Amino acid sequence: MSQRRRCATGCRTLTNVTLGLFDTAARSVREFQPVNRGQATVYLCGATSSGAPHLGHLRSAVCFDILVRWLEVSGLRVTYCRNVTDIDDKILAAAAAEGVPWWSLAERRQREFASGYALLGCRPPDAEPRATGHIPDMVALIERLLASGHAYRRGRDVCFDISTARDYNVLSGERPQDMLVTAEDSGHAADKRDPRDFVLWKAAKPGEPAWRAPWGAGRPGWHIECSAMAAGYLGPEFDIHGGGQDLIFPHHENERAQSLAAGDPFARYWVHHGLVTVTGTKMSKTAGNALAAADALHRVRPQELRYYLGQAHYRSPVDYSPDAVQDAAAAYRRIERFARRAQRASGHDGGHAADPLADPLADPVPALNSLPISFAAAMDDDLSVPAALAAVHATVRDGNYALSTRDEESAAACLRQVRAMLAVLGLDPLAPQWAAGDPDGRLRAVVDSLVALALRQRDAARARGDYASADSIRDALEHNGVLVEDTPEGPRWELAR
């Protein structure tokens, strides 16, 4: 790890940042050294627009949003590209089942994905190319593979010859003879030299969309699209290629094989996140256990769902249960309560834009030296978000103690650190994005005043021994969704979820 010295605020001063990332190809954590100094290029395999987004899709977006944020905090200028697969067999089948044009279904689904990502505070990528917009690039790449002998024609289909690939199993670790033919390619198995070869171009079928190519009309296979778009937007060699662990084979293995065969160095690091599971089984539409993003967002607030999806280490699976989501929401609300109490103690309640505590975060990327050493070290250690959150909660505890002793200066310092850490994780509770329904804080201020009035009446009733009236006031508040907690510092309240 890098050498750092502690500064007066308990944060760190940068000397030589060393970010370690687990590289699937190396099967170990490697020091991140970008292709170009001071820059980072990231390509994430986006979703296929055949169905509604579910929690697995949202987790992918959150994990890579955190990665991009940390790269930026570390002083790198990031170019982030996430593709959209808007033509494939699943999209055609789903469109046919609905009786709508394939392009209409793909566009509708893509808008649902974009909405879900935005609700969770994920920054939009710098580029979001669609497969159908880059088919000439795919045709050109296939021509290079044909010319170099790595691909061959079977009628109007074109296939990749895996016997010509270098280190074909480096990502999956499987022996080529043990690799199964994927469902997408199985229908073409009889026409291949080897059943494990994969399809680069599919000949047009009656009634299906098709594009022109020198070997005949058709459409690209799944794997070729990402090789063409990644190189087109990030260059023939770029830093990070990411996606879910379910994409390691065959998709990423085949991407890597065809790109290297075409002469592109391609990705330096392969970063894969764990899946969202239900009782140990991958969450997916095919398995019938997918919880739609819209349903999840009806149960908890977007920031609470983001906390849930991002709290585990990105390489670990997240096993879904309603109780686990509620536990995560409760943990986030503890952070949120401190932030709002500390904000009120500073005398700047309700004004996001005018809050001087927000000045260090005027730019969405916090200053590196505003972060506690423990948090920064955790993030440098393969994005260890669980350890980073431990630093957040420790600072919240310190801040709550400062508030209880009326040490407003220490509470304000803790608030600044908490907000800086949470900005990296996309979870700052005082950020305007989480106050979109009450942008100027006026509604919160009004509710706070009304609840404070009711609590003063409750205190007065208790002072004169009228406990029945005091209990009645508390019950009325709870009936209307306001939970009251009596503490040594006085009553606290929050809205029930």
Side-chain angles (χ1 to χ4, degrees), residues 262-275:
D264 292 342
F266 213 52
R268 279 197 173 188
Y269 301 83
W270 291 86
V271 177
H272 293 97
H273 62 80
L275 307 179

Side-chain angles (χ1 to χ4, degrees), residues 54-283:
H54 58 65
L55 286 190
H57 300 124
L58 296 185
R59 190 191 186 203
S60 180
V62 168
C63 286
F64 275 83
D65 188 58
I66 292 172
L67 169 60
V68 168
R69 287 169 182 262
W70 185 242
L71 290 171
E72 291 178 336
V73 169
S74 299
L76 298 172
R77 188 170 77 250
V78 181
T79 302
Y80 175 31
C81 180
R82 181 180 64 214
N83 78 295
V84 176
T85 297
D86 60 348
I87 180 65
D88 83 335
D89 293 341
K90 293 180 181 178
I91 293 173
L92 296 178
E98 287 193 24
V100 299
W102 65 270
W103 50 263
S104 174
L105 179 135
E107 177 64 23
R108 169 161 49 89
R109 292 305 189 192
Q110 173 53 22
R111 292 183 181 184
E112 292 173 3
F113 278 95
S115 176
Y117 299 152
L119 281 173
L120 264 63
C122 295
R123 300 180 188 175
D126 299 293
E128 198 164 28
R130 302 185 182 214
T132 54
H134 296 79
I135 290 180
D137 302 318
M138 301 173 206
V139 170
L141 180 54
I142 294 171
E143 288 182 307
R144 289 163 59 192
L145 292 169
L146 284 167
S148 59
H150 292 284
Y152 59 91
R153 293 172 57 177
R154 279 293 182 263
R156 291 181 299 151
D157 291 340
V158 181
C159 300
F160 183 86
D161 185 349
I162 70 162
S163 69
T164 69
R166 186 174 82 236
D167 299 329
Y168 180 63
N169 63 342
V170 73
L171 291 179
S172 64
E174 299 285 344
R175 297 184 304 168
Q177 58 267 35
D178 294 335
M179 292 179 173
L180 301 176
V181 177
T182 65
E184 182 191 23
D185 296 334
S186 60
H188 300 255
D191 298 329
K192 299 174 184 176
R193 294 174 181 171
D194 186 308
R196 294 162 299 186
D197 293 347
F198 56 89
V199 177
L200 300 172
W201 187 264
K202 298 182 176 184
K205 295 179 181 179
E208 288 188 351
W211 289 261
R212 293 180 181 178
W215 43 84
R219 56 188 171 88
W222 178 31
H223 315 304
I224 197 69
E225 67 175 66
C226 286
S227 284
M229 289 188 287
Y233 282 85
L234 303 179
E237 183 179 17
F238 57 95
D239 296 316
I240 297 170
H241 192 313
Q245 291 172 352
D246 56 333
L247 297 180
I248 294 174
F249 182 82
H251 187 44
H252 288 174
E253 195 82 76
N254 290 349
E255 274 188 66
R256 179 181 180 276
Q258 65 199 8
S259 293
L260 293 179
D264 292 342
F266 213 52
R268 279 197 173 188
Y269 301 83
W270 291 86
V271 177
H272 293 97
H273 62 80
L275 307 179
V276 177
T277 59
V278 179
T279 61
T281 301
K282 172 191 170 184
M283 180 176 287

Side-chain angles (χ1 to χ4, degrees), residues 32-37 39 41 237-239 266 268:
F32 180 64
Q33 296 181 335
V35 175
N36 297 306
R37 184 177 178 84
Q39 302 178 33
T41 45
E237 183 179 17
F238 57 95
D239 296 316
F266 213 52
R268 279 197 173 188

Side-chain angles (χ1 to χ4, degrees), residues 296-305 322-323 325-338 340 344 429-430 434-435 443-444 447 477-484 493-497:
L297 288 166
H298 281 137
R299 304 183 185 191
V300 290
R301 296 177 298 162
Q303 57 268 54
E304 294 168 348
L305 184 60
D323 287 345
V325 175
Q326 291 301 327
D327 288 345
Y332 181 76
R333 291 198 294 270
R334 287 194 292 271
I335 298 172
E336 187 178 43
R337 282 196 296 271
F338 160 71
R340 297 202 179 280
R344 288 195 293 272
L430 303 183
W434 300 129
L443 181 59
R444 170 78 192 196
V447 173
L477 287 170
E478 291 186 358
H479 178 74
N480 287 282
V482 177
L483 301 181
V484 178
W493 68 272
E494 67 173 332
L495 295 177
R497 306 298 177 195

Side-chain angles (χ1 to χ4, degrees), residues 454-468:
L455 292 177
R456 286 197 297 271
Q457 292 174 340
R458 175 174 173 259
D459 288 342
R462 295 171 71 181
R464 63 177 181 265
D466 187 359
Y467 297 107

Side-chain angles (χ1 to χ4, degrees), residues 273-476:
H273 62 80
L275 307 179
V276 177
T277 59
V278 179
T279 61
T281 301
K282 172 191 170 184
M283 180 176 287
S284 69
K285 294 184 288 291
T286 303
N289 62 359
L291 177 66
D295 292 338
L297 288 166
H298 281 137
R299 304 183 185 191
V300 290
R301 296 177 298 162
Q303 57 268 54
E304 294 168 348
L305 184 60
R306 180 180 175 113
Y307 185 100
Y308 167 71
L309 294 172
Q311 67 180 335
H313 193 281
Y314 75 90
R315 287 193 285 118
S316 300
V318 172
D319 200 54
Y320 170 79
S321 74
D323 287 345
V325 175
Q326 291 301 327
D327 288 345
Y332 181 76
R333 291 198 294 270
R334 287 194 292 271
I335 298 172
E336 187 178 43
R337 282 196 296 271
F338 160 71
R340 297 202 179 280
R341 288 180 62 217
Q343 185 188 46
R344 288 195 293 272
S346 71
H348 297 282
D349 187 24
H352 297 282
D355 182 1
L357 294 178
D359 289 346
L361 302 182
D363 186 298
V365 178
L368 193 59
N369 62 7
S370 66
L371 298 167
I373 295 173
S374 56
F375 179 91
M379 295 301 292
D380 274 351
D381 185 16
D382 194 29
L383 303 179
S384 182
V385 171
L389 282 172
V392 172
H393 286 284
T395 308
V396 166
R397 286 193 294 273
D398 291 344
N400 279 327
Y401 177 78
L403 288 172
S404 70
T405 59
R406 304 188 186 282
D407 184 351
E408 295 181 1
E409 182 178 352
S410 294
C414 289
L415 177 59
R416 282 191 291 270
Q417 287 193 15
V418 166
R419 293 193 65 188
M421 290 186 282
L422 292 177
V424 175
L425 303 177
L427 288 168
D428 177 10
L430 303 183
Q433 70 190 59
W434 300 129
D438 184 24
D440 57 6
R442 292 169 61 193
L443 181 59
R444 170 78 192 196
V446 169
V447 173
D448 202 9
S449 297
L450 292 175
V451 172
L453 175 62
L455 292 177
R456 286 197 297 271
Q457 292 174 340
R458 175 174 173 259
D459 288 342
R462 295 171 71 181
R464 63 177 181 265
D466 187 359
Y467 297 107
S469 295
D471 290 342
S472 176
I473 292 172
R474 179 175 183 140
D475 292 343

